Amino acid sequence: MNHPMSTVGRDIFRAIHEGKWLYIEYRNKSNEVTRYWFGIESIDIDRRMLLGTGLHLKKYSLAHSMKISVPNIQSTQIVDGTYLPANQELLEDIGLNPAKYEFLFHSASNLKVLSYLSDCNRMDGVPSLNRDFHLIDRLDDETAVKNKPHQLTQQQFTQIVDAFAKAYKPSE
């Protein structure tokens, strides 16, 4: 990654602090570039890996306990409109031990500035009602009962991922 603070490191930092999923283009062991939406749950400092849940964008498969090697990440971008519960222990550890994360974020002062900007971004803006929506086959307010889990069919899941992918076009 480039110094002083690469885009990859900045996006990882933001994803962790803002509780968002990350679009990752990743060079795998077969030397192929694969694309994921990745929810960062923790960081393995010694092995330089992100640990979390990944959604493979071509296979529509969800992998829990997935490991992504940071040096093999080609590019990243925050996936707006997503949510992932923040790992408070990880946030505290980053704040208390910035030197441990230098391989990723490169500078304690950068961490403090980014943390401040992340807080500003989170608190900025006027709450509004988003009136944009997409119809999903056989999913309406009668089948999706409030506060109760609803099992999506594979077709519904694919429609949702495709709708998100069309709306979300990462910069090349």
Side-chain angles (χ1 to χ4, degrees), residues 7-9 11-12 15 20-28 32-41 49-58 66-79 104 168 170-171:
T7 303
V8 170
D11 287 346
I12 291 170
K20 295 192 178 185
W21 285 62
L22 196 59
Y23 169 84
I24 294 178
E25 289 184 351
Y26 178 76
R27 187 161 305 279
N28 63 22
E32 301 165 331
V33 174
T34 52
R35 291 165 179 82
Y36 294 94
W37 289 340
F38 192 79
I40 302 168
E41 296 166 6
M49 298 189 120
L50 302 177
L51 310 174
T53 301
L55 172 64
H56 192 286
L57 294 177
K58 293 252 188 230
M66 188 174 171
K67 299 173 185 170
I68 297 274
S69 174
V70 173
N72 292 351
I73 295 175
Q74 304 298 297
S75 66
T76 57
Q77 190 172 352
I78 297 292
V79 181
L104 193 55
Y168 175 75
S171 59

Side-chain angles (χ1 to χ4, degrees), residues 75-146:
S75 66
T76 57
Q77 190 172 352
I78 297 292
V79 181
D80 289 323
T82 59
Y83 170 75
L84 183 74
N87 178 338
Q88 293 303 317
E89 289 179 25
L90 177 60
L91 290 171
E92 285 179 32
D93 196 45
I94 290 171
L96 294 173
N97 305 296
K100 282 174 48 176
Y101 300 90
E102 190 168 323
F103 80 94
L104 193 55
F105 307 128
H106 303 293
S107 167
S109 61
N110 282 345
L111 285 176
K112 290 176 184 170
V113 169
L114 281 175
S115 182
Y116 171 75
L117 293 175
S118 177
D119 288 343
C120 290
N121 183 48
R122 188 173 30 257
M123 293 177 200
D124 187 28
V126 178
S128 65
L129 178 61
N130 182 356
R131 297 189 186 275
D132 293 338
F133 62 91
H134 297 279
L135 296 176
I136 304 300
D137 289 342
R138 298 183 182 168
L139 181 65
D140 58 28
D141 59 350
E142 290 182 21
T143 57
V145 179
K146 189 174 184 174

Side-chain angles (χ1 to χ4, degrees), residues 144-150:
V145 179
K146 189 174 184 174
N147 296 326
K148 291 194 178 182
H150 177 76

